[in-house]
Amino acid sequence: MSDLQTTGEKIGSVAVLLNGAPERLVLDVMALLLQEYPKVGGSAFQHAVACVRQRFRSSAAEALTETTLLISEMQRVGHLPKIRLARRRSMEKDEVLLVALLAALQHGDRARAIEAAIALLDTGHVYGVLAAARSLAALMKEHGLMLRPVSAELFNYQVGYPTVADLGARRLERPAPEQPKKPVLRLLKSA
């Protein structure tokens, strides 16, 4: 299988990953809230409330609060993700990383969650974002909204980590092994 086919399969799997109901809900609500952030009460906010109320029923206010807290923490760190409401088949890096962050927290993979947060926000100061995301992920899990974990291959592709094939293509020049030295007999001048 060629590298082009492998890359094509990875890109194609992004659409499958983000088309599940929980993933679509998270991305749609985040996109709506980000449209008017920091303002609340506009038409996009009202549409987000309707989406959340339909799925969370009595906990809709809590779900909106947790989502808004996550957005606030991201803003405090200095970067809001770019999430589109009307998504095409190709997904943006921020969308994949946001799903990876929440899915990792739901599945207890703290290392992947930290890695996703750092890649999403381009900073190492992600403690507050992780705490807010953990609360949202737990609430989603309580209500049966389980996100599928993002595969290592897809995550590495989105973040831009080199693949094993890329690393193998770069041949490092190794120095020639040194020949064993022959003992040299030296005479002292004083002798």
Side-chain angles (χ1 to χ4, degrees):
M1 183 178 291
S2 74
D3 289 334
L4 184 60
Q5 290 172 332
T6 305
T7 303
E9 287 176 3
K10 290 178 187 174
I11 292 172
S13 66
V14 176
V16 172
L17 167 80
L18 299 178
N19 279 336
E23 291 83 4
R24 291 179 64 92
L25 178 69
V26 167
L27 293 174
D28 287 346
V29 169
M30 286 289 284
L32 288 166
L33 292 176
L34 286 169
Q35 279 181 2
E36 299 175 343
Y37 185 80
K39 189 177 91 175
V40 292
S43 61
F45 180 79
Q46 294 302 324
H47 188 59
V49 169
C51 290
V52 170
R53 189 175 291 150
Q54 182 180 16
R55 182 62 180 149
F56 285 92
R57 309 232 185 264
S58 62
S59 301
E62 185 181 0
L64 278 172
T65 302
E66 296 296 343
T67 307
T68 306
L69 283 173
L70 177 58
I71 293 171
S72 298
E73 282 297 322
M74 290 177 180
Q75 176 67 33
R76 188 184 63 77
V77 170
H79 175 74
L80 288 175
K82 295 176 182 80
I83 299 179
R84 298 169 295 163
L85 184 59
R87 294 186 312 277
R88 297 184 305 268
R89 296 300 276 177
S90 62
M91 297 295 122
E92 295 291 323
K93 175 182 173 181
D94 286 357
E95 295 168 341
V96 173
L97 292 175
L98 178 65
V99 170
L101 168 65
L102 293 170
L105 289 169
Q106 281 186 334
H107 294 277
D109 189 353
R110 189 164 188 261
R112 177 49 57 100
I114 292 169
E115 192 175 13
I118 290 170
L120 177 63
L121 302 171
D122 197 26
T123 183
H125 303 287
V126 294
Y127 180 76
V129 173
L130 286 171
R134 189 176 299 115
S135 298
L136 179 59
L139 182 65
M140 290 173 62
K141 191 173 183 178
E142 271 180 39
H143 289 275
L145 288 170
M146 289 298 294
L147 300 170
R148 286 175 279 182
V150 174
S151 69
E153 293 82 14
L154 175 59
F155 186 85
N156 294 344
Y157 174 76
Q158 288 295 321
V159 173
Y161 294 155
T163 62
V164 174
D166 293 340
L167 293 175
R170 288 188 230 150
R171 296 185 187 244
L172 299 175
E173 290 185 25
R174 295 185 182 153
E178 293 183 19
Q179 298 295 330
K181 296 183 180 180
K182 296 179 182 176
V184 177
L185 181 61
R186 297 187 185 174
L187 296 174
L188 298 174
K189 289 184 182 179
S190 62

